Amino acid sequence: VRPAADLQYVYTWRRIVFTLNSDPTYFHTESFHTSNDNLDVNGNSWTWLNKVDVDIPLKKDLFGHELRTGGYFSRTELMGDIKDGLGGNDHIYEVHGRLVLDYLNQLWKVKWIGIGGSYLWGRTFDGYSFGVDVAFRF
């Protein structure tokens, strides 16, 4: 079960889009059946993500689509069982960059497709990820 609220404020300056986002979320996790009685995956957790995203058009076309760059910086507060499960971290930071092709109004419900990468860190860990960056617009 994941009740949540996603609040956003979008500001456009020239063609650069700034998005401020706040997403408080409650998670209830419960195991209905396990093959090992020693495993317990029940819990209640809360997260609160706050993010600043910037989307910058580069005024260049590639394969008939406008090239865009951007990224975001976020901080996620961790409370409840998720805090304990992630080594007692109170929060996680993430910085993300992307290079994408704009498909808005050209491919059904797709805003962009490209590549992206993130670096995440907390008090007791850090790591990174790279992959396909896709955004949808409904």
Side-chain angles (χ1 to χ4, degrees), residues 14-105:
R14 300 187 186 201
R15 293 186 58 225
I16 300 172
V17 180
F18 298 89
T19 305
L20 305 175
N21 183 18
S22 188
D23 184 3
T25 305
Y26 169 78
F27 297 90
H28 174 73
T29 307
E30 188 170 324
S31 177
F32 294 106
H33 175 70
T34 180
S35 59
N36 184 336
D37 292 334
N38 295 322
L39 295 176
D40 182 25
V41 291
N42 299 323
N44 294 298
S45 302
W46 300 265
T47 63
W48 190 353
L49 170 88
N50 291 291
K51 178 169 60 172
V52 176
D53 185 285
V54 179
D55 180 41
I56 305 165
L58 296 177
K59 299 180 184 175
K60 301 287 182 191
D61 280 3
L62 185 62
F63 307 118
H65 302 279
E66 184 177 29
L67 195 59
R68 303 177 79 86
T69 190
Y72 62 81
F73 174 76
S74 70
R75 176 180 164 132
T76 304
E77 303 295 328
L78 306 172
M79 297 158 274
D81 295 320
I82 195 169
K83 177 180 172 181
D84 299 333
L86 291 174
N89 283 284
D90 298 56
H91 53 272
I92 297 172
Y93 291 103
E94 180 179 6
V95 62
H96 177 83
R98 64 181 173 258
L99 186 62
V100 297
L101 296 174
D102 189 346
Y103 279 84
L104 190 60
N105 298 324

